[in-house]
Amino acid sequence: MEVRRVQKFGKSTLMVSLPAEWVKEVGLSPGESVYLEVDEDGSLKVYPPNMKLQNASREVKVILSNNIMPEIVTRIIYGLYILGFDRIEIESKDKMFSEDILRKLKESVRSLIGYEITVQNVDYIQIQSFLDPTKYTMTSLLNRLINNLKQMLHYLSLGIKEGSRTFLQETVELEKEVDRLYYLALRQLILSQSNRSLAYMIGVKRIQLIGNRILIKAIEESADEISEAATDLLTLTPQELEEVKNYWNNMFDLIEQSTVIIDHTMKVLTKEDSKLINETMEELRTLRRVLINEATSIENSTSNIKDYRILIAVRSVNLRLYNAIRRMEPIVEIAFNRSLENSKEIIID
């Protein structure tokens, strides 16, 4: 560790010179600005302004046999994306990709923001990242995730109300966009662990890394539940979907309440008001109890349904909505903990 003396400049300014080797390494020039951050332990960190990631470019080669399960291809591509790999070279061990593997490769790349296939032959594919991580702040990604989640609830409600397969299908499509944003947010968090300059620029505090990962996972799982509700309804015929409307007198209000509470849940993340956050937590628990009571009511009102497909779909939507709301609780707990992070004195009245 290098020690440098603090010097006085002018009447009240204190200065410390920057190490010449570091200045040369990061390409800092006179007149440029640097970023300063007070870390959780009280230390001061200095970051260069031109945060470039080309020096941190990560590459990997993958050799695939046509004998593997095609699904593993998707998991490999997603895993390498999340881990921050910028270029992936994929070769066929059998001198030609099978149709299933080729299809999975192309589907996986299309579902990831910033990834593109730049070279494609019968036995070789090159995938390149064109992402600029500094353009995606964690706040913007969280906002986009939650806005898509609320839109999913909106289209689910319209799908039930109108008996519309189009609106229900839109719910499913929006879940795919939530997945794309989830993988991007996860990639950003993992890059932030090893690159503190990037973490500073996209607004990720070290103490909040684990919490942010839980946040985005909670939203992604909530979106999965809503998508499954729409998928269950899409298994019905148009006539059966029309009949479902007769058993959802209160469901429209419950979906609206769910949207409002999800909105409250995300807003309290930026608050340092423990009392307000606690009220939101109680709202979530109250809605969960209402959904349980509604499930009992549905059981009574649907006891005379002879079509088991309608019965299963009606029960499923209520259960999926309950699970989606339950996924929001960890977010409020994280918000509550964050409200106490910088506290010197806590007064509850």
Side-chain angles (χ1 to χ4, degrees):
M1 176 182 292
E2 185 177 355
V3 177
R4 289 181 176 252
R5 187 181 299 276
V6 177
Q7 300 179 5
K8 189 173 182 179
F9 181 79
K11 292 184 178 181
S12 58
T13 302
L14 298 179
M15 297 180 61
V16 176
S17 62
L18 298 172
E21 290 185 5
W22 180 81
V23 170
K24 183 178 180 181
E25 180 182 343
V26 301
L28 193 61
S29 301
E32 288 188 298
S33 300
V34 294
Y35 299 102
L36 301 179
E37 178 187 16
V38 179
D39 208 349
E40 291 90 343
D41 60 4
S43 61
L44 184 66
K45 296 188 175 181
V46 182
Y47 300 113
N50 54 338
M51 216 295 295
K52 302 294 184 182
L53 293 183
Q54 64 266 28
N55 293 330
S57 179
R58 302 184 67 189
E59 302 177 4
V60 64
K61 177 180 287 187
V62 180
I63 301 175
L64 298 177
S65 166
N66 288 335
N67 295 326
I68 64 171
M69 294 180 62
E71 287 72 22
I72 197 173
V73 174
T74 299
R75 295 189 178 99
I76 290 173
I77 300 301
Y78 283 10
L80 294 174
Y81 177 85
I82 291 168
L83 291 171
F85 281 88
D86 299 292
R87 188 166 73 176
I88 307 171
E89 294 183 344
I90 304 175
E91 294 181 1
S92 172
K93 189 177 180 181
D94 303 301
K95 307 304 180 184
M96 179 180 290
F97 294 118
S98 69
E99 290 184 7
D100 289 340
I101 288 179
L102 182 60
R103 185 180 67 255
K104 284 293 182 182
L105 280 170
K106 300 181 77 171
E107 287 176 354
S108 301
V109 173
R110 282 196 297 266
S111 64
L112 296 171
I113 296 173
Y115 259 15
E116 291 183 20
I117 294 176
T118 53
V119 179
Q120 179 177 338
N121 298 317
V122 294
D123 62 346
Y124 175 84
I125 283 179
Q126 180 178 287
I127 302 169
Q128 185 74 40
S129 170
F130 291 93
L131 273 175
D132 180 356
T134 64
K135 302 300 183 184
Y136 297 93
T137 67
M138 191 51 52
T139 298
S140 68
L141 288 174
L142 283 171
N143 286 337
R144 289 173 65 182
L145 279 165
I146 208 65
N147 285 336
N148 275 281
L149 183 62
K150 291 191 294 184
Q151 281 298 111
M152 289 179 68
L153 282 169
H154 177 64
Y155 280 114
L156 177 66
S157 178
L158 286 176
I160 297 172
K161 183 178 180 180
E162 305 294 335
S164 168
R165 301 180 67 83
T166 300
F167 288 140
L168 293 175
Q169 188 60 49
E170 185 61 26
T171 306
V172 176
E173 291 301 315
L174 279 169
E175 191 271 334
K176 296 177 183 178
E177 180 61 20
V178 169
D179 280 346
R180 281 160 49 85
L181 291 168
Y182 165 72
Y183 290 124
L184 174 56
L186 191 51
R187 177 185 171 98
Q188 292 287 83
L189 288 177
I190 291 178
L191 287 174
S192 296
Q193 287 181 301
S194 57
N195 191 320
R196 295 305 301 158
S197 295
L198 174 63
Y200 180 79
M201 297 183 77
I202 67 173
V204 176
K205 295 181 180 179
R206 181 179 299 175
I207 196 174
Q208 295 181 349
L209 277 169
I210 296 176
N212 281 331
R213 185 158 186 171
I214 295 172
L215 287 178
I216 61 175
K217 185 61 177 176
I219 297 171
E220 189 264 342
E221 289 183 341
S222 183
D224 284 345
E225 295 290 346
I226 298 169
S227 177
E228 288 296 329
T231 300
D232 292 340
L233 290 170
L234 283 168
T235 63
L236 303 178
T237 65
Q239 293 75 21
E240 290 170 334
L241 200 54
E242 280 292 320
E243 190 172 343
V244 166
K245 294 192 295 184
N246 300 325
Y247 301 94
W248 290 95
N249 297 326
N250 300 324
M251 185 49 57
F252 310 127
D253 289 337
L254 290 174
I255 293 177
E256 182 65 26
Q257 289 177 42
S258 299
T259 304
V260 170
I261 290 179
I262 287 173
D263 192 48
H264 289 175
T265 298
M266 295 308 297
K267 284 182 178 179
V268 296
L269 270 174
T270 60
K271 307 292 183 182
E272 293 188 358
D273 188 333
S274 302
K275 189 174 180 180
L276 177 63
I277 297 170
N278 188 67
E279 289 174 358
T280 303
M281 191 175 294
E282 291 304 314
E283 287 180 355
L284 281 169
R285 291 174 177 171
T286 298
L287 181 56
R288 281 178 56 192
R289 288 193 291 269
V290 171
L291 287 167
I292 291 174
N293 292 335
E294 182 66 16
T296 303
S297 174
I298 289 174
E299 286 294 323
N300 295 332
S301 64
T302 58
S303 58
N304 61 339
I305 296 180
K306 295 181 180 180
D307 190 333
Y308 75 93
R309 285 161 47 82
I310 296 177
L311 181 60
I312 291 174
V314 169
R315 289 174 176 173
S316 173
V317 173
N318 182 270
L319 175 62
R320 300 293 186 184
L321 189 59
Y322 173 88
N323 288 338
I325 293 303
R326 187 176 181 182
R327 297 288 191 272
M328 294 290 104
E329 291 191 7
I331 298 179
V332 186
E333 292 174 2
I334 290 170
F336 191 88
N337 293 336
R338 288 183 178 179
S339 72
L340 307 176
E341 280 179 9
N342 302 314
S343 299
K344 301 296 183 183
E345 182 180 55
I346 301 174
I347 301 176
I348 306 295
D349 55 17

